[in-house]
Amino acid sequence: MMKLSFQPPVISFSAARNSADREKGFLFWLSVYQGIYLAKYSMLKKNTDDTRICAMWITAAILSSFFAGLTAVLAKSGIKQTDSDVATALRTAVVVIFSWLMALVSGAMPPVSRISAKTLTFLILSGAATGTSWLCYFRALSIGDVNKVAPIDKSSTVLTVILAVIVFGETDRLAEKTAGTLLLACGILMMIEKKDRTGAPEKGHGYIFWAALSAVSASLTSVLAKIGIQDVDSNAGTALRTTVVLLMSWIVVLAKKKQNFRMPCGRELAFIVISGIATGASWLCYYYAVKHGILSVVTPIDKMSILFTVVFSRIFFDERLSPKAAAGLGLMTAGTLIMTVAM
């Protein structure tokens, strides 16, 4: 019988500082340890129904993170000529089709007349918040430096955790959650790489308002979705809110005057479709976790998609993190693990 073996990357601390093997080993074990730790923690009391549900939504959040990281890699590897906003709008169309098919096949979609006004309202508001976040982010970038806009926009993760504590009363082990949130915030800031400015100079400080509004809208997306998705299957809720996101994504295209866009074809269209399916899988997993889990824990786990993106980019594109960004990634991982333990 053939014996299959797998040799993981080895971290050699005696190697040079910039050794490729050392970096690959670090990224590999960082992702493996996080996955094992979260899975092991979620199964500590596997004999109880609550813990089985906990294991399911933690797994869903990890899968959401994985598929989101895969989406970024697919977009980078296959989408070269299509405008990024147009690609996002087309990808969202694929997500809508995918999510509706999943909802219909699973029998999760009830007649619209049976969905309460409250549920519809909050799901529509959640989709609109996603679109608003995109619009505000693009507006902020049009008048401000990306190095100043990005940190404000990325603060949405921290805002979501704070809102979850306030709105849903997720105050258990608040000290640990606070420590994890601070580590997450520091890690996010360290992960933002400084880029050379291009284009026109900044037009005052108006970008602060738009970037802040983008962050607030992004954080409201999950909060509104959690409220609206409680009385409907998560697949059905994802399909409904994604339809609103589709409309908002095309508003972004039209607002930036890209009516005469070039329709992608061949390889690029295939990658857009595949990345759309990956995005749809990510959203279905995420909103399942949002419905059944603790929002202040689900959101940081989902945002660790950057870990999978970094690992995939290192493997397929040979891209390396700077020491500062690597340290930031470590802080984000540590903060996420602390917040998971604080459940």
Side-chain angles (χ1 to χ4, degrees), residues 41 172-174 176-177 294 297 337-343:
Y41 178 78
D172 291 343
R173 303 186 71 174
L174 189 58
E176 290 89 339
K177 285 187 177 181
I294 302 171
V297 176
L337 294 176
I338 289 173
M339 295 177 73
T340 305
V341 171
M343 289 191 304

Side-chain angles (χ1 to χ4, degrees), residues 43-54:
M43 301 293 271
L44 282 177
K45 299 177 181 178
K46 60 183 178 181
N47 293 326
T48 68
D49 290 339
D50 286 346
T51 304
R52 280 195 291 271
I53 293 174
C54 175

Side-chain angles (χ1 to χ4, degrees), residues 75 79-94 249-250 253 258 261-262 264 268 271-273 275-276:
I79 303 173
K80 304 291 186 184
Q81 314 243 339
T82 306
D83 177 84
S84 61
D85 299 323
V86 175
T88 297
L90 293 174
R91 186 186 302 117
T92 307
V94 176
S249 65
W250 281 103
V253 173
K258 295 178 180 177
F261 64 87
R262 181 185 70 85
E268 290 221 351
F271 269 95
I272 288 176
V273 172
S275 64

Side-chain angles (χ1 to χ4, degrees), residues 158-169:
V158 178
L159 288 175
T160 301
V161 174
I162 295 173
L163 285 175
V165 171
I166 296 173
V167 177
F168 303 115

Side-chain angles (χ1 to χ4, degrees), residues 8-11 13 21-39 62 65 187 191 301 303-312 314-315 321-337:
V10 177
I11 304 178
F13 290 100
D21 288 339
R22 181 177 177 181
E23 183 179 356
K24 286 182 179 179
F26 168 76
L27 293 174
F28 175 83
W29 286 116
L30 188 61
S31 59
V32 169
Y33 286 157
Q34 185 193 26
I36 292 175
Y37 185 86
L38 292 176
I62 295 173
S65 178
M191 283 291 294
I301 294 176
K303 294 304 179 185
M304 286 307 297
S305 60
I306 190 170
L307 175 58
F308 290 106
T309 299
V310 168
V311 173
F312 291 147
R314 183 68 183 90
I315 294 172
L321 289 177
S322 67
K324 175 186 173 185
L329 182 59
L331 287 177
M332 289 181 66
T333 303
T336 300
L337 294 176

